[in-house]
Amino acid sequence: MPRTLPILAGALALTAIGTAAAAENVNIYSYRQAVLMKPLLDRFEQKTGVKAQVVYLKRGMIARLEAEGAASPADVILTTDAARLIQLDRLGAFQPLNSATLKAAVPANLRHPKGHWFGLTVRGRPIFYNPARVEPSDLSTYEALADGKWKGRICIRSSSNVYNQSLIASMIAANGAGKVQAWADGFVKNFARKPAGGDRDQIRAVAAGECDIAIANTYYFAGLAKSKKERDRKAAAAVRLFWPNQKGPGSAGRGAHVNISGAGVAKHAKNRANAVRLIEFLASKEAQEIYARIVNEYPVRKDVQPGRIVADFGEFKADSLALSELAKHQKEAVRIADRAGWR
C-alpha cells in the first residue's frame, strides 16, 4: 500500500487505512513530515514486518479526531511540541501506555506522568545572533531581551505558533505571570518588524541584517546548514547560536527552553499492540540514532549522541521543567502575548 494516503474531503471520510485493522498493520496520524519519518518507518517495517500506514496532516488533526470519534482508524498520533500533545490529551485523544521500555528510554520530564504521550526527540529554542552586530557578552537570558538596548533589533515568529506559546508558558512557570507580562510588554517593543514567517525566516532575517537577533528552534537551523540551497547554507553560516539562561541564581540559570516531538497511542486504536511496538521502536537506540543523523534533533536517550551538525552547537544546560507542566500555563501564555500586542 502507498506510504502517504490521500486525505478525503469531509471530516468523517476515512482513508484507506480505515479498513486496515489486521494485526500486521499500524495506522498513524502524523504532523511530522513524510521526509522526516520515512527512514524510521521503513526500518520499523523491515524489523517487524508491520506495515506503517500514514496520513500526513499539516493541520486539522483535532477536528478530524473529534469528527471520527470511535470510528477513527488512528493507532498512533505523532506530532511536535508539548503544547500540541497537551491539546490532544485534553481532547482525550490518547490512552495510557504503561511501558517499562519507554520509561527507561525517555526521561520523566519529557513524557506524560501517566503515559499518555512520550517525547521522542528534543529541540532547543536558543537565541541566534549576527556576530557583526552582537557580541556574545551582550546576551544572557530570555528575560534580558526585554531590555531597551534591543529596541528594533529582534525577529521572532507569531505568538500564535505553539513553539512560542510553550516558551512563554515555561517562563510563567519560572517567573510568574505578572513578571512575564512585564517582560512581554518590553519584548514586543524591541521587535524589528511585525512577526511573519517561520523559524527559518527569522534566522534568514538575522543573516540578511533585517534584525540582529532571533529566537528559533535548533532543528530549523540545522536544516538550513544542511540545505541543498546555497542561500540557506550561507544564511546559517552568517549567524551564531547562543544558549540563554545558563548561569546565575534562580530562573537566570534554569537552562535554555527545550521542547519535543512525541507520540501516543490513540484512544480508539484498533491495532494497539503494534502501536506500542512502533512507539517503543522510535525510542530505541537504533531509531534514536536515525533521528540524530537524519532529522537533526537531539535524541531523548542518554546513550545516543547528537548528529555532527547538532553536536557542533555545543553542550548546554536545558531547562528541566516537566513539559507536562506547560499545560497549566498555556492559556495564560496566549493571553499575555495578546495583551502585549504580540500577534
Side-chain angles (χ1 to χ4, degrees):
M1 297 183 70
R3 170 59 50 79
T4 305
L5 300 172
I7 300 176
L8 303 180
L12 287 172
L14 303 183
T15 65
I17 69 172
T19 61
E24 70 276 8
N25 294 311
V26 62
N27 303 324
I28 305 160
Y29 280 8
S30 177
Y31 269 152
R32 304 233 67 186
Q33 301 172 38
V35 67
L36 302 178
M37 295 308 303
K38 188 177 186 304
L40 291 147
L41 297 179
D42 284 348
R43 183 58 183 147
F44 173 73
E45 290 181 347
Q46 291 168 5
K47 283 178 69 73
T48 65
V50 175
K51 293 294 183 183
Q53 303 181 115
V54 194
V55 171
Y56 290 106
L57 299 162
K58 289 187 176 180
R59 60 185 63 86
M61 187 183 293
I62 287 178
R64 186 186 186 106
L65 290 168
E66 286 181 321
E68 291 172 346
S72 176
D75 298 314
V76 172
I77 298 171
L78 285 166
T79 190
T80 56
D81 201 277
R84 287 196 178 109
L85 291 163
I86 289 165
Q87 290 169 356
L88 288 160
D89 193 39
R90 284 176 175 157
L91 172 68
F94 299 117
Q95 58 177 278
L97 171 55
N98 185 13
S99 166
T101 297
L102 289 169
K103 288 178 180 179
V106 182
N109 67 310
L110 303 181
R111 51 181 161 89
H112 188 276
K114 295 184 179 179
H116 293 190
W117 48 261
F118 294 84
L120 297 173
T121 62
V122 174
R123 64 272 297 276
R125 195 158 182 77
I127 297 168
F128 294 91
Y129 67 95
N130 187 324
R133 297 168 179 248
V134 178
E135 293 292 334
S137 59
D138 295 333
L139 299 165
S140 57
T141 64
Y142 297 110
E143 289 83 349
L145 297 181
D147 191 286
K149 74 178 183 180
W150 298 111
K151 186 174 179 62
R153 302 175 69 185
I154 296 175
C155 281
I156 194 164
R157 69 196 296 174
S158 169
S159 67
S160 65
N161 178 262
V162 291
Y163 302 154
N164 286 331
Q165 291 171 14
S166 291
L167 173 61
I168 298 169
S170 74
M171 295 179 72
I172 296 171
N175 300 310
K179 289 184 177 179
V180 176
Q181 184 66 68
W183 168 82
D185 292 342
F187 182 62
V188 169
K189 291 177 182 177
N190 292 336
F191 289 177
R193 63 180 189 181
K194 182 178 179 181
D199 277 11
R200 293 183 185 89
D201 297 302
Q202 315 314 312
I203 296 169
R204 291 185 186 113
V206 172
E210 296 175 35
C211 44
D212 293 346
I213 61 174
I215 298 175
N217 283 352
T218 50
Y219 160 77
Y220 296 106
F221 183 54
L224 290 174
K226 288 179 64 175
S227 174
K228 295 180 180 179
K229 298 178 180 179
E230 184 179 6
R231 71 181 185 97
D232 284 344
R233 296 194 303 273
K234 285 184 175 180
V239 305
R240 300 290 183 270
L241 181 155
F242 180 86
W243 293 109
N245 295 79
Q246 298 296 290
K247 300 176 181 179
S251 64
R254 71 181 180 276
H257 175 63
V258 296
N259 217 299
I260 56 173
S261 71
V265 178
K267 180 178 181 179
H268 302 292
K270 312 301 189 294
N271 303 302
R272 188 180 191 279
N274 286 337
V276 174
R277 290 177 76 183
L278 174 60
I279 297 173
E280 289 183 342
F281 168 75
L282 293 175
S284 71
K285 188 172 182 179
E286 178 182 6
Q288 290 286 297
E289 288 173 344
I290 295 172
Y291 270 124
R293 187 176 69 253
I294 298 176
V295 186
N296 304 316
E297 292 177 305
Y298 291 93
V300 293
R301 294 180 65 104
K302 294 180 179 179
D303 58 352
V304 177
Q305 297 300 310
R308 181 184 59 80
I309 288 179
V310 175
D312 287 345
F313 298 162
E315 295 185 3
F316 69 100
K317 179 181 179 181
D319 191 343
S320 61
L321 176 72
L323 293 185
S324 59
E325 289 292 301
L326 298 180
K328 298 178 182 179
H329 308 293
Q330 186 180 10
K331 290 182 179 179
E332 183 61 23
V334 173
R335 287 193 288 265
I336 284 173
D338 285 346
R339 287 193 292 263
W342 182 356
R343 297 290 188 260

